[in-house]
């Protein structure tokens, strides 16, 4: 059954991320941190499709997700602005983020 076979890929070709982190991503994280209070960072590891990301969550649950390129880059921003940095896989996301999502359904319409 040919339709069940995987397409042959060159094992020497690295997986292509959707795009890598850039200065705009880091600048947007910094702008979020400086314009809101009580921000915490939740680190998300690199996957085969996406670079390392950080979810920045403010005290009211508003959040953004941006690529950082590496955990080290995320740590530098967190240290510079004295923002707590958690591993999302270990801690999960705070309830205030889910509450904010419920209160702002238009955010998911994108």
């Amino acid at each position: 059954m040919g339709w069940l076979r995987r397409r042959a890929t060159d094992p020497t070709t690295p997986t292509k991320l959707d795009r890598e982190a850039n200065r705009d991503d880091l600048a947007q994280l910094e702008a979020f941190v400086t314009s809101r209070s009580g921000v915490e960072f939740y680190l998300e590891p690199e996957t085969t499709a996406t670079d390392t990301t950080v979810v920045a969550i403010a005290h009211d649950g508003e959040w953004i997700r941006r690529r950082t390129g590496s955990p080290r880059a995320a740590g530098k921003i967190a240290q510079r602005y004295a923002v707590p940095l958690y591993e999302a896989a270990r801690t999960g996301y705070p309830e205030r983020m889910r509450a904010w999502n419920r209160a702002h359904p238009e955010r998911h319409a994108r």
Side-chain angles (χ1 to χ4, degrees):
M1 297 175 91
W3 56 276
L4 288 177
R5 274 188 251 146
R6 293 183 184 204
R7 285 190 294 178
T9 58
D10 181 358
T12 61
T13 303
T15 302
K16 241 187 169 173
L17 300 174
D18 57 350
R19 76 171 175 81
E20 293 186 0
N22 59 38
R23 290 183 186 198
D24 288 341
D25 294 321
L26 301 179
Q28 290 172 11
L29 278 173
E30 290 178 353
F32 189 86
V33 168
T34 59
S35 64
R36 288 154 180 88
S37 62
V39 175
E40 297 174 330
F41 281 177
Y42 290 82
L43 183 69
E44 299 173 325
E46 179 180 326
T47 67
T48 57
T50 306
D51 210 351
T52 301
T53 55
V54 164
V55 177
I57 305 173
H59 77 285
D60 62 353
E62 182 182 6
W63 62 275
I64 64 168
R65 174 179 285 118
R66 295 294 181 269
R67 293 165 183 83
T68 61
S70 71
R72 176 175 280 165
K76 284 182 181 180
I77 295 172
Q79 186 175 20
R80 182 179 311 133
Y81 292 99
V83 172
L85 176 64
Y86 305 105
E87 289 183 51
R90 287 187 180 190
T91 64
Y93 301 99
E95 176 57 35
R96 69 180 185 274
M97 178 183 173
R98 290 184 283 282
W100 194 88
N101 285 340
R102 287 189 297 272
H104 298 86
E106 72 281 0
R107 178 94 179 250
H108 296 289
R110 292 184 199 172

